[in-house]
Amino acid sequence: MERITSPGSRSGSCRDDKQFDGEIEGLMTEDDLQEAAVVPVTESTFTALLGLPANQAIELLHETESVKSPEIPTADIWKDSQEDQRTFSYPFNCSLTFPTNAALVERAARFSVFASAQDSPERCSIPSISSENSPKLKAEPANSESNRSSSPILSSSPTIPKQNQKSAKRKEREKVKGSVKKSKYVENGNKDGEKLPYVHVRARRGQATDSHSLAERARREKINARMKLLQELVPGCSKISGTALVLDEIINHVQSLQRQVELLSMRLAAVNPRIEFSFDSLLAAESGCLSTGSFPSTLTIEPMMWSELQFNGERRQQHQNQHQQLWEVDLLQPPVWERENYNNYHPSENSVFSYNSSAESVSMHSNQLKMEL
Amino acid sequence: MGLQSWGSSIKDMNLLERRKTIKLSADVAMASVRGGKTCWSRALIANASKQENGKTLVRNILGSEFEKLTKPSMGAFMSHKRVRSKNILRRSCSSHRIRKIAPKRVQASSIAKRMVKKRTQILRGLVPGGESMDDFSLLEETLDYILSLKAQVDVMRCLADASELLNGK
């Protein structure tokens, strides 16, 4: 058991500690990222957070998922003589609230190993860790107990042999959690009552609040992801850093949009309401310009607008501008769910289907309007 | 459609009322696009239907969805309660803080947090139905709201231009 071997191995050097810290950092980031990934955030966010190129991340993912046997290719990754020393004499009785995502743990371990294997001082930045790790990803020779730990967890089956491995993971994670908080380095080695005289592992407090910190971190990641989206949406926000300022910009944007709506409504009101909306030409006009969408939409203002546009030749420009604008905005939407939202607008721009959905009502209304006018 | 329905009834209104009606109908139309999926759209429609003159308008625009969309009155009720309790909590907390001027060092992080909190408050006031949401959903709703506002502005601008060109010789 590692417990037994740890004291001997733990005749640590500061290097170990540093490695461990790095490992912790790596783990932490991995954890958080993974948590974010567990939440329905897309892989894009995840990779963005990682700072990895997307393909590498996908490789990672595939690797983690594909690995089911103890014979882990990632074993290669795990490397290192130094790893042996770092036997995680870790508490076995910590309760875990980790997500059951085996890939997460595995990747966390892998990254942490990298970080540690780098033998560099603590890294606190995710990109640095990932960037340094990624090259080594495949290069690492075979393993140590970390490998063992990763494999069973990877298999994520009750056949996970030993508690030691699990607990190794757990300990790592705990430490990670602690390091997340960047709390003081408490030399307590093991918070769970493991008796080690000298512990060169810098354990940070965090075990008691593990679930809290986990949830907190997940929540924060979610919020950050959303803030990023917002930043992309609001023009001129991408350069600003800091939540408060970005929020400022967003608020300004919303206010300006609302004011614009009011102004436009005033303009519309000022216009003589003798507007002829003729929808008979709508279909003919639309089919020429727009591709068909098949989404039902209840927004039927567009059809009216398009008809106007078709009326006068010079409006064609506006029509195209409109179209372009929407396309541009669409391009700004990397995340999937965004696109989903936007698809609702797309179809609304393709008035063909909107026309289909509301043809009857529209024609009815137009008749009404004509009558009253 | 919204324009049509109000178009049919704006003959007698003066400018102000017309503007309000237009804005209202535009808002409701925008909200109706979202169906009942987003919180703000529901709140918008709820607010609109509360007003007297808005009710028929909303009904016209929404058509069959009217009942569906105004149905979550239960949810709105609960949200009101939540809002009220939140406000009470907030007020009590803030007053408490004023009295205890204990902390000497004002951490930068706390300042930043306060700034962010203030801004989220403002944002909550802006986005319809924002009071009864936690931070995260607020951000989502804002995202959605901004998108739809943009589309609404575009539509109305085109419409206004078109109609001006058409009529405003």
Side-chain angles (χ1 to χ4, degrees), chain A residues 280-347:
Chain A
D280 306 329
S281 58
L282 190 64
L283 261 185
E286 301 310 337
S287 54
C289 353
L290 301 169
S291 53
T292 65
S294 51
F295 303 98
S297 159
T298 54
L299 183 59
T300 52
I301 290 187
E302 267 86 359
M304 291 176 359
M305 175 186 66
W306 291 128
S307 70
E308 307 271 5
L309 298 181
Q310 301 315 322
F311 262 165
N312 310 358
E314 61 268 9
R315 305 285 163 52
R316 208 155 276 265
Q317 281 180 9
Q318 292 177 7
H319 157 82
Q320 271 146 20
N321 288 345
Q322 178 83 1
H323 207 58
Q324 270 168 21
Q325 280 171 20
L326 278 163
W327 279 113
E328 278 165 13
V329 182
D330 189 38
L331 287 177
L332 287 181
Q333 318 293 336
V336 175
W337 75 268
E338 269 287 88
R339 228 173 256 121
E340 221 170 74
N341 282 350
Y342 215 72
N343 280 341
N344 285 339
Y345 289 101
H346 255 251

Side-chain angles (χ1 to χ4, degrees), chain A residues 239-281:
Chain A
K239 313 169 192 108
I240 304 182
S241 59
T243 318
L245 296 174
V246 167
L247 280 179
D248 248 356
E249 283 298 314
I250 294 172
I251 288 174
N252 286 342
H253 195 61
V254 168
Q255 279 173 340
S256 76
L257 282 175
Q258 284 176 340
R259 253 179 277 139
Q260 279 179 24
V261 166
E262 285 199 30
L263 283 173
L264 281 171
S265 66
M266 189 123 58
R267 267 175 72 186
L268 276 175
V271 162
N272 190 330
R274 307 182 118 268
I275 302 177
E276 299 252 340
F277 298 132
S278 128
F279 296 92
D280 306 329
S281 58

Side-chain angles (χ1 to χ4, degrees), chain A residues 368-369 372, chain B residues 3-11 60:
Chain A
Q368 223 181 35
L369 195 59
E372 305 214 17
Chain B
L3 282 171
Q4 288 165 320
S5 53
W6 64 248
S8 60
S9 52
I10 62 175
K11 308 282 287 295
N60 283 342

